[in-house]
Amino acid sequence: MPTTTPLVWEATIALIIGLLAFDYFFHVRKAHAPTLREAAIWSALYVGIALLFGVAVWTWGGADMGAEYFSGYITEKALSIDNVFVFLVIMTSFKVPRESQQKVLLFGITFALIARTVFILLGAAMIERFSWVFYLFGLVLLVTAGNLLAPDDHDEDKPNIVVRLVRNLFHASPRYDGDKLFTTWQGKRALTPMLLVMLAIGGTDILFAFDSIPAIFGLTQNVFIVFTATAFSLLGLRQLYFLVGGLLERLVYLSLGLAAVLGFIGIKLVLHALHENSLPFINDGQPVPVIEISTWTSLVVIVAVLALTVVASLTSPKGKAKVAVSALRARVADYLSLGDDAAATLRQKVFDEMGEAQRRVDALEPRFKAMVKRPDVLQYDLRRAHEAHAVAIGDAIAHHDLGLPPPPEGDDGD
């Protein structure tokens, strides 16, 4: 395997920093919500750059090194999609204005790159000094795979532990002030929710690194491949969020697919640790003659599992139901965010879209309706949207004629 020269490292790091700088200076300087077309074009561009880099690695380093890169990139990209889902939960929890979400995501990507680079260097140093660390990495991945099989515990109403700590220690404003991190509230300088959501995503990024880095070290111990596959999987994550954010819940079997991939890599790591064994209480400190899983086998298994996961999710009635509910929540939020000066044609268009989304949810089977989280809040927001529309069009519909349930106790609708 060829040695990665300092010049190659410098050129690669310059490329990654250049792509990040391009995002900072040309995409998020002016707050805006990207269109689906814009997100699709830039997502394709970043994936294309990552694939071309992989082709360069294959050409320069040989087929095995290329296979290691693509195995690592595909695995890290799949994990990043799960990260996007958690980012979506955090954004919803903090009610981040859509036009400001790009800046929050770019901060999260930058922080993740820095945090994972530190973890990569630490992991490489540990591997070089202690061969038994592969047992530890394998155990981490097997435990993570088991946790992914547990019921979904993403809670939009439960603040991140970092955020709870900051709110307890510092004066924080409940309202956004554009994309500012600090503002004046109650006569004093205060943190804005923008800073808090960045802290929440930063804290979450660190947790993601605990399964992400062992996973890729299970596929290759080449630090250059580990770093580049991780970096290129994170670049473009901002565009991916806006491209598939509304469809992420459709991937209902994503956690199962990731559990299978991480479990497979965990077993691969344990087998490798046994093959390199030096622990005195295992086989008297001698290597154990076990089968080792090749890089090519890993690549085929990872691609096959993830492809099966996507196909099963997209054809699942449960996935279609979750998308319908997500679409209704989004349309309700769109209507409630309209200002008093919104044009009548725009208001009617958004209201009609909300009505269509509501009809799709109403047509769901009872077993799928029973899976809706916080249905009382959804119904209350629907009620508010209908009332707002009635007032906007001058329709004197009585409150009790709306046919919607009363608001849930303790919810003021904000």
Side-chain angles (χ1 to χ4, degrees):
M1 183 178 292
T3 302
T4 307
T5 65
L7 180 60
V8 172
W9 269 106
E10 291 165 6
T12 302
I13 292 172
L15 172 62
I16 292 168
I17 293 176
L19 290 171
L20 274 176
F22 182 82
D23 261 355
Y24 270 106
F25 290 105
F26 293 97
H27 280 161
V28 302
R29 284 180 64 186
K30 182 178 180 182
H32 73 285
T35 63
L36 186 64
R37 181 175 180 273
E38 178 185 345
I41 290 173
W42 286 106
S43 292
L45 178 63
Y46 276 100
V47 171
I49 291 172
L51 295 179
L52 285 175
F53 186 86
V55 171
V57 169
W58 194 299
T59 303
W60 163 69
D64 287 341
M65 194 171 178
E68 288 180 355
Y69 171 83
F70 282 113
S71 297
Y73 174 73
I74 293 170
T75 300
E76 293 296 308
K77 199 67 176 177
L79 289 170
S80 74
I81 292 175
D82 193 46
N83 297 1
V84 168
F85 180 81
V86 179
F87 289 167
L88 185 65
V89 171
I90 293 173
M91 295 284 195
T92 303
S93 173
F94 281 90
K95 300 178 182 176
V96 181
R98 190 166 175 80
E99 62 273 10
S100 298
Q101 291 180 3
Q102 289 202 89
K103 184 165 289 188
V104 175
L105 287 167
L106 197 52
F107 163 82
I109 292 167
T110 305
F111 185 88
L113 267 173
I114 295 171
R116 294 187 193 195
T117 299
V118 172
F119 275 94
I120 288 169
L121 295 175
L122 289 174
M126 291 176 66
I127 288 171
E128 187 176 349
R129 289 171 174 78
F130 313 107
S131 61
W132 53 261
V133 78
F134 287 110
Y135 287 114
L136 178 61
F137 282 0
L139 179 61
V140 167
L141 293 183
L142 291 173
V143 170
T144 303
N147 289 337
L148 285 171
L149 296 176
D152 179 23
D153 61 352
H154 296 313
D155 189 349
E156 296 180 8
D157 299 320
K158 184 178 180 180
N160 181 286
I161 186 171
V162 177
V163 174
R164 294 202 303 270
L165 180 63
V166 171
R167 279 177 169 165
N168 290 334
L169 294 177
F170 300 98
H171 185 56
S173 164
R175 302 186 185 282
Y176 288 90
D177 186 3
D179 58 4
K180 295 179 181 177
L181 303 182
F182 298 92
T183 188
T184 301
W185 184 62
Q186 294 180 339
K188 295 188 293 183
R189 188 169 176 78
L191 312 179
T192 68
M194 182 65 70
L195 179 58
L196 295 179
V197 72
M198 285 184 174
L199 289 173
I201 285 182
T204 304
D205 278 330
I206 293 176
L207 296 178
F208 286 147
F210 280 106
D211 55 47
S212 170
I213 299 308
I216 194 165
F217 269 118
L219 298 168
T220 176
Q221 285 81 61
N222 186 318
V223 177
F224 180 76
I225 297 298
V226 171
F227 173 74
T228 53
T230 301
F232 282 110
S233 73
L234 290 171
L235 293 172
L237 195 60
R238 175 181 62 81
Q239 293 85 353
L240 185 67
Y241 173 89
F242 289 99
L243 180 63
V244 302
L247 299 176
L248 281 177
E249 289 196 348
R250 180 73 174 268
L251 299 177
V252 289
Y253 300 123
L254 178 61
S255 60
L256 296 179
L258 289 177
V261 169
L262 293 181
F264 169 78
I265 299 175
I267 293 171
K268 183 178 187 291
L269 274 169
V270 172
L271 291 174
H272 181 73
L274 289 169
H275 190 267
E276 303 288 331
N277 179 62
S278 61
L279 294 178
F281 54 86
I282 298 178
N283 199 34
D284 296 325
Q286 298 300 312
V288 180
V290 294
I291 187 173
E292 284 213 82
I293 301 172
S294 70
T295 300
W296 288 97
T297 301
S298 299
L299 179 58
V300 170
V301 169
I302 290 167
V303 171
V305 169
L306 293 178
L308 180 61
T309 298
V310 172
V311 171
S313 295
L314 294 180
T315 57
S316 165
K318 178 183 176 182
K320 295 176 182 178
K322 294 189 75 172
V323 169
V325 174
S326 295
L328 176 58
R329 291 187 193 276
R331 298 293 80 76
V332 172
D334 288 344
Y335 190 89
L336 292 175
S337 67
L338 292 175
D340 295 336
D341 57 346
T345 52
L346 173 62
R347 184 177 294 278
Q348 187 61 47
K349 178 176 179 291
V350 176
F351 184 80
D352 290 342
E353 290 174 349
M354 183 182 72
E356 180 61 30
Q358 185 176 357
R359 283 188 286 275
R360 286 196 293 269
V361 172
D362 289 341
L364 294 176
E365 297 178 30
R367 62 192 176 106
F368 293 131
K369 290 183 180 179
M371 295 166 54
V372 177
K373 295 181 179 179
R374 300 299 304 275
D376 54 341
V377 174
L378 176 59
Q379 290 294 327
Y380 177 48
D381 286 342
L382 264 171
R383 174 175 175 267
R384 291 170 56 211
H386 279 271
E387 286 181 334
H389 192 66
V391 171
I393 64 175
D395 193 349
I397 299 177
H399 184 79
H400 64 276
D401 287 337
L402 290 173
L404 293 168
E409 293 185 9
D411 195 325
D412 60 5
D414 292 334

